[in-house]
Each structure stands twice: as structure tokens, then as C-alpha cells.
Amino acid sequence: MEYANIIYTVDNGIATIKLNRPKALNALNSEINADIMSAINEVKADPSVRVLIMTGSERAFAAGADVKEMAEATPRYAREFCGLAIEINNILESLPIPTIAAVGGFAFGGGCEMTLACDFRVGGSRTTLSFPEVGLGIIPGANGCARATAIVGPAKAKQLVMLTEMVPGKQAYDLGLLNWYVEGDAELNAKAAEAKKAFKAAKKAGAENLDELKAANKAAEAEAAKAEYDAIYAKAVEVAKTLMTKPGCALASAKAAINKAAIE
């Protein structure tokens, strides 16, 4: 089945739900949530699927809820929206198969909550996790506080949620928010860093070829970011293949037992 806001694929027992609203940095609205839920139902109905990977793009896993849609939402609509987000994350957490979040770029708000609902998370240097909600006068609405506490403990969860900190990939890995931290292509990263440095120097000096250098900087960063995302997704697939060597019934039982212990 084809979807308007996600790309759903199954390859040798590994299902992937790729969020695909690039112009909105994969911001979560009612339509993409409905597509995600429909794809998850496909996963549940397909006995050949052994692992599910949730992912976005090199720019964003999901940049939180769609602010434009939420600004126009009625109280009833907002409750329904949050209800579906909660349901999606609860299902990701309770599926009998392992779930992996391949996190490239931003995972803010509801996007961050979705990654924490997965069993495993992979990221890189351009990955950034954040809960900005408290700064907007609300709290994470899809059980993100509870899941963050289970993963990093109450003190760090309070720091993450109450201070609305933006946590870059390496720090997220050190905190335990990421299970694996993946390096991108060293040569492309160096090229991107050099292009950025050249653009900043030219801008400071008032050079005439700023547009050319800006374009070169943007292109170099895009290439490096794509290579890093590809490495993140490849690591997720590698982990999925390793998981598939284990008996499915044992994985399901272990997941259920660990999830139960985490909330007791």
C-alpha cells in the first residue's frame, strides 16, 4: 500500500516506516500519524516481519508536532491528536517484534517521544534530541516523560524535559538515549567543515562571491549529512539482522519482561 506521508517497505523480514514530509521536516500532523498507524497495522498483520525500523531523513527524524495544525486545533481535535500519538507509541513499545529508531537530524517533541518508544535508537553527529514543550507551556503529551525517566533516570529526565535542552548525538549516546553512535564519512565531513569555514571567513570579509560559497557550503553539508544518515540506517539494518538470528518468541518475552520491569 502506498501512503502520502510515509514510505513503507519490507525487505527480507525487516519493515521500514520512513516519515516523508520533507518540506515540514517530517512534522507530525493528523495525516502522517494516520499513515503511521496504518503501516503499523500492516506490520502486525504480516508474520514475515521480524523487525521494524522507524526513520526519517538526514535532516529530520521528526521535528515535533505540526505547529500550524495545532494552532488551529479545537480542544476536541487536540485530544484526538494526542490520543493517536499515544496509541502509536504504546504500540511501538508493546509490539512483540523489536523496533529500532534510525535517527538522522532533529527528533524534537513528538518525534523524540517516538524514538524513545522504540526498543533501540541509532544516531550520529547530526542527530539532535529535544523536548521543547515546557518552553511552550505544556509537557510531552505521549508519555515521553515516563519513557525518558525509564531510560536515563529521573534527574537526567528532568534536565532534558524541564530545561528543554537540545542534546546532540554524542551526548545523547553518553546519556543512554542512543544505543549506537555512528560516524559518517570522514572525508565528506572534513569537506563540509572546510566549506563552512570558507563561507564564514568570506562573509566576515565581505567577499563578493558569497552566493557561490554559500551554495558550495550547502551542497557539501547535504552530501555529508546524507552519508551519515545512510550509515545510521545501515547500522539499524545490521542490528535488525542480528536480532533476526534470535528466536522470535524469546525476543518477545524478553521485551515484555524488560518493559514491565521498567514501569514497576
Side-chain angles (χ1 to χ4, degrees):
M1 179 175 177
E2 291 190 2
Y3 296 94
N5 301 286
I6 65 170
I7 299 171
Y8 176 66
T9 57
V10 178
D11 183 17
N12 293 320
I14 301 172
T16 298
I17 297 176
K18 180 180 177 69
L19 280 58
N20 189 38
R21 294 187 69 213
K23 291 183 179 179
L25 293 177
N26 294 331
L28 300 170
N29 64 5
S30 56
E31 293 180 355
I32 193 171
N33 279 346
D35 284 354
I36 292 169
M37 178 59 79
S38 181
I40 288 174
N41 285 334
E42 286 200 56
V43 170
K44 292 167 67 176
D46 187 348
S48 73
V49 174
R50 295 285 313 281
V51 180
L52 170 61
I53 297 175
M54 300 293 298
T55 192
S57 70
E58 62 270 23
R59 295 184 65 202
F61 178 88
D66 190 311
V67 176
K68 181 179 179 181
E69 182 177 84
M70 293 306 294
E72 300 170 352
T74 63
R76 178 179 178 181
Y77 184 89
R79 285 194 300 272
E80 291 175 350
F81 178 88
C82 288
L84 182 54
I86 290 170
E87 186 178 4
I88 287 170
N89 289 348
N90 286 348
I91 292 174
L92 288 173
E93 185 176 60
S94 62
L95 276 174
I97 62 172
T99 54
I100 305 170
V103 191
F106 302 121
F108 290 172
C112 188
E113 291 189 272
M114 189 178 291
T115 71
L116 299 188
C118 294
D119 301 313
F120 306 102
R121 287 157 295 281
V122 187
S125 65
R126 292 167 177 81
T127 301
T128 305
L129 305 179
S130 180
F131 285 120
E133 287 91 343
V134 165
L136 301 173
I138 56 177
I139 66 170
N143 297 329
C145 292
R147 291 189 175 99
T149 301
I151 293 169
V152 301
K156 287 298 182 182
K158 289 174 183 176
Q159 181 179 340
L160 176 65
V161 174
M162 296 169 69
L163 295 177
T164 67
E165 292 185 346
M166 296 178 68
V167 185
K170 185 60 170 65
Q171 184 182 348
Y173 172 73
D174 292 339
L175 284 172
L177 291 169
L178 295 177
N179 299 87
W180 293 274
Y181 177 80
V182 177
E183 299 284 355
D185 187 290
E187 184 177 342
L188 291 177
N189 284 336
K191 182 181 176 182
E194 187 60 34
K196 183 177 181 180
K197 181 179 178 181
F199 174 66
K200 283 187 173 182
K203 187 176 181 180
K204 186 176 181 180
E208 295 182 357
N209 62 337
L210 278 182
D211 288 344
E212 178 184 339
L213 292 173
K214 182 178 181 180
N217 176 36
K218 185 176 181 180
E221 171 57 26
E223 187 177 13
K226 181 63 167 61
E228 180 174 290
Y229 171 78
D230 289 345
I232 290 169
Y233 183 76
K235 180 63 178 181
V237 171
E238 177 189 323
V239 173
K241 289 180 177 178
T242 300
L243 288 164
M244 289 170 64
T245 66
K246 320 299 181 186
C249 57
L251 290 174
S253 297
K255 177 174 176 173
I258 293 168
N259 284 347
K260 181 180 179 182
I263 61 175
E264 289 182 344

